[in-house]
Amino acid sequence: MRAPAVLRRPRPTGRPRATAPRTAGRPRTALRFVLALAALGAVVVAGIALGAVRIPLDVVWRALLGQEVQPPYDVIVHDIRLPRTITATLVGASLGLAGLQMQTLFGNPLADPFILGVSSGASLGVALVVLAVGSSGWSGSFASGLGGGGDVGIAVAAATGAATVMGLVLLVGRCVTSSTTLLLLGVMFSYLVSALVTVLLAGATPELVHQYIQWNFGSYRGVTWSNLHVLVPVLVCGLLACLLLPKRLNALLLGERYATTMGVDVPVTRTMIIVVTAVLAGTATAFCGPVQFLGIAVPHLCRALFSTSDHRVLLPACAVLGAALALGADVLAQLPGDEVLPLNAVNAAIGAPVVIYVLMRRSPSGVPA
Amino acid sequence: MTPPLRIRDLTVGYGRRRRPAVVLEHVSADLSAGELACLVGPNGAGKSTLLRSLAGLQPFFAGEVLLRGVPVGRLGRAARARTVAAVLTDRFDAGRLRVCDVVALGRHPHNGWSGRLDGTDRRALDGALELVGATDLAHEPFAQLSDGQRQRVLVARALAQEPAVLLLDEPTAFLDPPARIALLSLLQRICSEQGTAALVCTHDLELATRYSDHLWVTGTDRGLVTGAPEDLAVNGALSAPFAQPGVHLDLRSLTFAPTDRPGPTARVQGRGVRAALAGHALRRAGLRVPGEPDDGVDRATDQGAGVRNGATPLVSVDVDGHGWTSTTATGRTTHHGCLEELVRHVRILLRDPAVRDPAVRDPALGEAPGEEPGPTEGGQA
């Protein structure tokens, strides 16, 4: 940290120009966006090329341009790699944005998209379906869908569970003025719902418990084109809704009371943020299971890499980097070949060291990331 | 001219409407343009509650708040934020916000949905930074500022809102004395130059009396008394809420001081800084030094009070070229090169039992007027 005396020293150039270098900082931000987009592009190519079957780059290129792909590859590209790529990028962008909004709303660097109980609610829905199906003897027909997480029944159950818990949190939130209290309420709701899930699982057969655990690992595979007809519009709408929020989110950086004195309607803003987050995280969870780590790590990564707290930069940055990281992790998860590593394990194993490195490198002077 | 802030019959408190805890009732006051007012009062007297209600952070129970003549309920959030800006005690994690980012947030009620700054916004931003003398800090990370710089930047952020009324909640709380004085004189300058009206809630009564045009004093029967600091001092309204046994408000310096208890006195002969510091040291050692400003006795009638009361000073101190010379009642003189020696010397003298018991030393002293413990009011005497 530099000494205050140094800070106070007047500029030699005389004329005060407080905000002029802001524009000078813009090309750097633009350059970083270009790099982030390039990274995303590279990961998309890798996402289509790599997997159990390697696909030549020229085929990948033609597939990306929407041209015909020759027979040995067309099924793989069309039915597996493209849906997986679309799902991973959209879910990654959604979770990154949702995490950023939660961290800003609660002024808490540990907040993630699931902090208010979205994923617990979804788990409850899934656990209920698993149990109901298991006891009625349909498990055989269900198992295929469960592993991939793309089954419509599972998705509906997860979405219903998530929506129910978020509705409860919002309802209770109307009577709570402090966001910290709301945060604690959400965490408590999560615990309660998890307790219910545990009770349900305790009575299930090992096979069903395994299916539930598979769902809990998270996966972008198994999302079909018909699933995408739901997933894509909902997530795109959610992502676009975030465009309404950067000004309000920026004001919230100074805390809710300062935001109020600046003319922000804090209760309305809070509801907007929670609804948008719930739609993004809830939909993602419904189709892909609780994809951990992205929501908490991507915002930190973006703040550090773009060295800003301005949400007009952070929102698009989190979307791009979230998409790239999500897809990158999934590509790595299936590098071993036929065996596919659990997605959440890969997310944490790659992401956590990266974030730790970025945080340590970028804040030597006590500036929090 | 309509005052920027007018309060009529306002009742504020906290808690829900079902079980309101009223802390201030039927409060009326005006804050005119260019005026710096300080809101003072003991802890728990409702200073902060009043300020928060005026800032729109909590509802008030009854009465009216008029901003530029318009009832606050009829103003939208943005319109209100363009009239009133606040500097709060809230600590926030500034993250990677730079100083200019924080100040730019003050443009929130003025700019469009995206928060993008246009030319007017930038001029307001630069103007606000320049007013508080933080132009060269503009690109520093806010989190690295000292507390004094931080407060100046937060004032700039409030100024960027271009408010008619500036509300500040304990802005000097974490500042060292020079920074407190710098901040208050900055506010005074802003008020007189910009025509902004400022209401500063503070514990620092001495600073408040020195800088404010009006004091708003809470703590008397859930009411609010307003007036010029000196007038309130004379009519007793200033000292009443702070009344505490053993402490009084010295009317000449408008500072609080412990009320002298009966006890041995000392006399300082000579003038100037060294004499004043000798008095300071003697008082610290536990002696009364008549004739000094904060002894709680009216100086005009106090010349040589110790002598008139028949109380011989325990020591009499002369300032000389090399230090200080003390002479005890028995005539023993000692030279002290520094005041620490003087204090040590006095403390040894005070250990004498005859000195410690005033009745033994001077029977007349107990009957002297104005010596009983408790708040004494120089102005009323």
Side-chain angles (χ1 to χ4, degrees), chain A residues 1 8 18 22 247 257 365, chain B residues 52 90 108 136 139 144:
Chain A
M1 183 166 169
R8 271 194 219 105
R22 269 180 86 96
K247 183 173 162 175
R257 301 204 316 159
S365 52
Chain B
R52 278 201 291 272
D90 302 23
H108 198 279
D136 49 331
H139 298 283
Q144 287 183 2

Side-chain angles (χ1 to χ4, degrees), chain A residues 1-2 7-9 16 18-19 21-22 243 247 254 257-258 261-262 264-265 303 309 312 365 367-368, chain B residues 52 57 88 90 92-93 95-96 101 105 108 111-116 126 135-136 139 144 157 161:
Chain A
M1 183 166 169
R2 280 196 276 168
L7 302 185
R8 271 194 219 105
R9 196 166 53 200
T19 50
R22 269 180 86 96
L243 292 178
K247 183 173 162 175
L254 301 191
R257 301 204 316 159
Y258 264 117
T261 69
M262 287 187 266
V264 177
D265 189 341
R303 283 191 204 101
S309 289
R312 283 172 296 165
S365 52
V367 181
Chain B
R52 278 201 291 272
L57 294 173
L88 305 172
D90 302 23
F92 51 86
D93 176 7
R96 287 167 191 276
D101 298 329
L105 286 177
H108 198 279
N111 56 23
W113 66 274
S114 71
R116 199 186 163 83
D126 289 344
T135 302
D136 49 331
H139 298 283
Q144 287 183 2
R157 190 212 60 79
Q161 259 170 269

Side-chain angles (χ1 to χ4, degrees), chain A:
Chain A
M1 183 166 169
R2 280 196 276 168
V6 177
L7 302 185
R8 271 194 219 105
R9 196 166 53 200
R11 292 189 171 211
T13 41
R15 206 174 142 265
R17 36 181 218 118
T19 50
R22 269 180 86 96
T23 44
R26 241 176 234 150
R28 262 193 306 172
T29 305
L31 178 68
R32 286 168 189 172
F33 266 114
V34 168
L35 288 177
L37 283 169
L40 177 61
V43 175
V44 164
V45 169
I48 291 179
L50 300 179
V53 176
R54 298 265 158 111
I55 294 175
L57 276 182
D58 59 311
V59 179
V60 173
W61 192 240
R62 251 181 294 152
L64 282 175
L65 292 176
Q67 292 165 354
E68 277 296 304
V69 178
Q70 55 264 49
Y73 301 122
D74 58 348
V75 178
I76 298 174
V77 169
H78 183 266
D79 287 355
I80 298 172
R81 300 282 166 85
L82 272 182
R84 199 258 319 241
T85 306
I86 295 171
T87 309
T89 46
L90 275 179
V91 166
S94 301
L95 292 179
L97 279 188
L100 173 68
Q101 292 178 45
M102 284 290 118
Q103 289 178 4
T104 301
L105 175 63
F106 294 118
N108 188 332
L110 290 177
D112 75 355
F114 307 129
I115 195 116
L116 288 180
V118 172
S119 65
S120 316
S123 320
L124 180 62
V126 171
L128 277 173
V129 166
V130 165
L131 196 77
V133 169
S135 54
S136 60
W138 287 355
S139 53
S141 70
F142 233 88
S144 56
L146 255 184
D151 188 274
V152 175
I154 294 291
V156 169
T160 313
T164 310
V165 169
M166 289 317 289
L168 272 175
V169 168
L170 273 177
L171 206 68
V172 174
R174 296 194 78 89
C175 321
V176 176
T177 44
S178 138
S179 277
T180 315
T181 317
L182 184 66
L183 180 68
L184 288 172
L185 279 174
V187 173
M188 289 306 124
F189 267 122
S190 304
Y191 277 123
L192 275 178
V193 173
S194 307
L196 261 175
V197 172
T198 315
V199 171
L200 285 175
L201 289 179
T205 62
E207 189 189 330
L208 293 174
V209 173
H210 180 71
Q211 286 175 18
Y212 172 81
I213 289 176
Q214 279 284 307
W215 177 81
N216 239 332
F217 285 161
S219 169
Y220 307 122
R221 259 157 277 123
V223 177
T224 61
W225 280 105
S226 61
N227 293 155
L228 284 177
H229 287 313
V230 181
L231 187 74
V232 173
V234 174
L235 288 188
V236 168
C237 284
L239 292 175
L240 289 178
C242 296
L243 292 178
L244 297 172
L245 292 170
K247 183 173 162 175
R248 291 163 184 263
L249 287 166
N250 278 343
L252 280 176
L253 285 175
L254 301 191
E256 296 193 347
R257 301 204 316 159
Y258 264 117
T260 307
T261 69
M262 287 187 266
V264 177
D265 189 341
V266 171
V268 165
T269 304
R270 191 201 288 167
T271 308
M272 283 168 74
I273 292 174
I274 291 178
V275 167
V276 168
T277 309
V279 167
L280 290 175
T283 313
T285 309
F287 286 97
C288 306
V291 178
Q292 302 288 357
F293 184 78
L294 290 175
I296 190 168
V298 169
H300 288 298
L301 216 56
C302 290
R303 283 191 204 101
L305 294 180
F306 287 79
S307 65
T308 182
S309 289
D310 184 352
H311 287 81
R312 283 172 296 165
V313 175
L314 284 182
L315 285 171
C318 281
V320 174
L321 276 184
L325 213 64
L327 187 55
D330 196 45
V331 169
L332 284 176
Q334 59 178 11
L335 271 190
D338 291 339
E339 284 292 308
V340 174
L341 293 170
L343 179 64
N344 280 334
V346 179
N347 275 346
I350 307 160
V354 171
V355 172
I356 291 170
Y357 169 70
V358 168
L359 292 182
M360 302 305 280
R361 191 174 61 100
R362 286 286 170 142
S363 55
S365 52
V367 181

Side-chain angles (χ1 to χ4, degrees), chain B residues 67-350:
Chain B
L67 296 173
R68 289 178 175 139
V70 184
V72 82
R74 268 199 260 147
L75 288 173
R77 286 174 181 279
R80 183 178 185 156
R82 286 192 291 265
T83 316
V84 180
V87 174
L88 305 172
T89 45
D90 302 23
R91 308 288 280 189
F92 51 86
D93 176 7
R96 287 167 191 276
L97 288 177
R98 293 166 304 168
V99 165
C100 58
D101 298 329
V102 171
V103 179
L105 286 177
R107 297 304 296 166
H108 198 279
H110 294 272
N111 56 23
W113 66 274
S114 71
R116 199 186 163 83
L117 302 178
D118 65 13
T120 323
D121 294 325
R122 286 186 186 284
R123 273 192 297 281
L125 201 165
D126 289 344
L129 279 172
E130 206 179 333
L131 257 178
V132 304
T135 302
D136 49 331
L137 294 178
H139 298 283
E140 301 298 332
F142 185 79
Q144 287 183 2
L145 299 184
S146 71
D147 279 328
Q149 292 169 333
R150 207 183 144 89
Q151 286 303 56
R152 278 195 290 146
V153 170
L154 287 175
V155 169
R157 190 212 60 79
L159 287 175
Q161 259 170 269
E162 296 183 322
V165 180
L166 203 55
L167 301 174
L168 299 101
D169 193 3
E170 299 286 355
T172 56
F174 296 102
L175 306 185
D176 54 26
R180 286 171 192 219
I181 288 174
L183 185 71
L184 260 289
S185 27
L186 169 70
L187 289 174
Q188 196 180 43
R189 185 163 57 81
I190 288 168
C191 286
S192 59
E193 282 177 12
Q194 309 289 309
T196 314
L199 181 61
V200 182
C201 170
T202 180
H203 272 113
D204 204 330
L205 188 68
E206 298 171 12
L207 212 57
T209 53
R210 194 175 328 166
Y211 283 100
S212 53
D213 300 312
H214 282 110
L215 282 184
W216 296 20
V217 186
T218 64
T220 39
D221 304 325
R222 296 202 285 185
L224 180 77
V225 185
T226 63
E230 299 79 10
D231 292 336
L232 293 182
V234 168
N235 69 22
L238 188 52
S239 49
F242 298 96
Q244 243 186 63
V247 181
H248 73 278
L249 179 72
D250 177 67
L251 289 180
R252 252 173 250 98
S253 59
L254 290 181
T255 55
F256 283 97
T259 305
D260 284 333
R261 291 166 178 282
T265 59
R267 191 166 55 205
V268 180
Q269 294 180 336
R271 290 178 177 278
V273 176
R274 288 153 73 83
L277 289 176
H280 190 271
L282 289 167
R283 231 171 291 119
R284 192 160 57 82
L287 296 179
R288 294 170 56 221
V289 186
E292 291 298 328
D294 62 348
D295 57 358
V297 186
D298 196 336
R299 198 194 227 165
T301 62
D302 191 52
Q303 294 299 343
V307 180
R308 252 206 322 280
N309 288 344
T312 326
L314 180 70
V315 283
S316 158
V317 176
D318 287 295
V319 179
D320 58 40
H322 314 287
W324 294 267
T325 309
S326 64
T327 313
T328 61
T330 53
R332 189 157 63 100
T333 58
T334 319
H335 181 265
H336 309 282
C338 64
L339 287 170
E340 189 176 353
E341 283 173 18
L342 173 64
V343 170
R344 209 178 298 139
H345 180 67
V346 167
R347 291 223 163 111
I348 291 167
L349 289 176
L350 280 172

